[in-house]
Amino acid sequence: NNGILEPGETITVNIQFKNFLSPAASLSVSLESKNSYSTVVNGNFIEGAVGTLQTFNNNLSKFTFKLSQSMPNNTPLDFLLHFSDGSYSDFQWISAIGNPNYATQVGNDISLTITSAGNLGFNDYPNNQQGTGFHFSGGPNYMFEGSLMLANSSVRVVDQVRDSTQNEEKVSFLNVQPFKISIPGSISDIQGMTIFNDNIAAHKLGVNVKLQSYSFIDPADKGYIILRYTITNTSGAAISNLYAGLFFDWDMIDGSGANDLTAYDSTGNFGYVHHQGSNPDTTIGIGLLSANNYGFYAILNSSFGYTEQKKWTALSSGLTNTSAGPADIANVTSSGPYNIPAGS
């Protein structure tokens, strides 16, 4: 009952149909699995006579299928719906993602997809089909890409941000415990948790990361989400000069980042982004809650390049580059440096 298609579960599917074309006399619909990880248990539904523009559903004869215990994470589950009525036949593809290692945390005015591998917003840059991004108060998606970033030099940067080609995301984090949402949680009304490490990074730091996410439904607290990262040094040696930050590429008009502005508010100590001309009139803020060694770096996407050196600069430069735009922009909100003894 959590809306997630998990290994071993039996899934029930009810569908609403609408007949746009000619009337049908004896319409039947069947469900066929076109993937290796699901077996259809009940795949037949007979509606009978259906008039033009009539709507109907299979609530009295729901489709069911069972998922394999061996289904990997983020498995595409494709199915065919077959329609037949006498000599008429047609089909329609439907699909879902099985055993996802990401979920969308929603319950107040903020909706954010959180993954089990450091990404935020989406799990599959640049296609952005796995996830829904970042929404405020039922509005459109405002986020193109987001990720945790950790580094202690320009040659040891671990993140899931796009690489210098900008065609692929860099892969640094390995899922240890998939992201799951609890309602209610131990601290907040909607609470998520995942654990990952940097064991697959090309130049790893040797850290284990626990992310806990908190959303509250009280009217005074419905406009924010808290992301709490606990970083443990598993390298066997001290890690010095560590910076941690969150990278976000914002598109305040969905599909286009043109004419967005980002800057730092030194009074409130938070970064923000909005669209020139205030249409939409939403402003998004990103603030560090846990310390006062603030860092914020405003990025012009057209010239940033996304090299390891540029990422390190964005993480470690403090408050030296605090505004950008109007243009296609991104930003990094960071904190550091930290020295973490082995095992701490």
Side-chain angles (χ1 to χ4, degrees):
N1 277 340
N2 61 3
I4 300 171
L5 280 63
E6 296 173 311
E9 290 187 328
T10 296
I11 307 300
T12 301
V13 183
N14 57 292
I15 303 177
Q16 180 164 300
F17 304 87
K18 185 172 184 177
N19 176 25
F20 285 98
L21 301 178
S22 299
S26 56
L27 181 68
S28 64
V29 186
S30 63
L31 179 72
E32 179 187 6
S33 173
K34 302 296 285 186
N35 63 84
S36 302
Y37 295 98
S38 67
T39 302
V40 174
V41 178
N42 178 36
N44 296 302
F45 161 59
I46 298 174
E47 176 62 16
V50 179
T52 301
L53 299 183
Q54 180 180 337
T55 60
F56 58 99
N57 59 59
N58 69 330
N59 289 353
L60 298 179
S61 182
K62 297 177 181 178
F63 298 131
T64 57
F65 59 86
K66 186 171 179 60
L67 296 172
S68 167
Q69 288 283 6
S70 61
M71 181 174 59
N73 286 125
N74 305 318
T75 298
L77 298 173
D78 295 320
F79 299 87
L80 271 178
L81 285 172
H82 295 278
F83 304 93
S84 62
D85 176 41
S87 62
Y88 168 81
S89 66
D90 208 340
F91 65 90
Q92 179 179 353
W93 286 97
I94 59 174
S95 62
I97 299 294
N99 199 19
N101 61 358
Y102 61 92
T104 298
Q105 183 159 331
V106 61
N108 58 16
D109 283 349
I110 301 292
S111 168
L112 174 65
T113 295
I114 301 173
T115 81
S116 304
N119 312 72
L120 296 165
F122 297 96
N123 192 55
D124 60 334
Y125 174 91
N127 297 324
N128 288 2
Q129 298 299 307
Q130 297 180 10
T132 62
F134 176 99
H135 299 255
F136 174 70
S137 193
N141 170 42
Y142 295 123
M143 184 187 296
F144 179 67
E145 184 186 6
S147 175
L148 173 69
M149 301 176 70
L150 302 171
N152 68 349
S153 72
S154 62
V155 296
R156 191 166 284 129
V157 181
V158 294
D159 59 64
Q160 296 282 130
V161 180
R162 73 193 75 167
D163 62 18
S164 58
T165 71
Q166 301 198 44
N167 296 319
E168 296 182 0
E169 71 176 4
K170 181 182 170 187
V171 178
S172 295
F173 296 121
L174 177 67
N175 172 230
V176 175
Q177 185 170 325
F179 181 71
K180 298 293 182 184
I181 295 174
S182 299
I183 303 175
S186 59
I187 292 176
S188 62
D189 300 295
I190 306 97
Q191 186 168 323
M193 196 273 282
T194 182
I195 299 173
F196 50 89
N197 60 42
D198 69 339
N199 285 355
I200 58 174
H203 303 284
K204 71 177 186 177
L205 290 160
V207 292
N208 195 73
V209 180
K210 180 180 182 180
L211 166 58
Q212 295 165 284
S213 50
Y214 307 123
S215 302
F216 302 87
I217 61 175
D218 186 274
D221 300 296
K222 68 178 184 177
Y224 64 83
I225 183 171
I226 295 174
L227 303 177
R228 177 187 183 186
Y229 293 89
T230 304
I231 301 165
T232 302
N233 177 2
T234 59
S235 69
I239 297 175
S240 60
N241 200 41
L242 178 71
Y243 287 82
L246 292 179
F247 163 86
F248 294 114
D249 183 341
W250 301 100
D251 290 343
M252 298 303 290
I253 296 179
D254 196 14
S256 171
N259 295 319
D260 291 341
L261 299 107
T262 186
Y264 188 74
D265 184 301
S266 58
T267 302
N269 291 313
F270 62 90
Y272 62 91
V273 60
H274 64 93
H275 189 69
Q276 187 180 45
S278 298
N279 185 20
D281 62 358
T282 300
T283 297
I284 300 169
I286 316 98
L288 172 69
L289 302 182
S290 56
N292 59 10
N293 48 354
Y294 304 107
F296 180 83
Y297 196 91
I299 293 171
L300 280 175
N301 278 323
S302 60
S303 59
F304 188 66
Y306 289 92
T307 63
E308 299 297 271
Q309 178 62 58
K310 284 284 193 176
K311 291 178 180 180
W312 168 244
T313 298
L315 265 179
S316 62
S317 295
L319 299 174
T320 61
N321 193 63
T322 56
S323 65
D328 183 13
I329 55 87
N331 52 42
V332 174
T333 302
S334 63
S335 183
Y338 293 97
N339 299 316
I340 309 179
S344 295

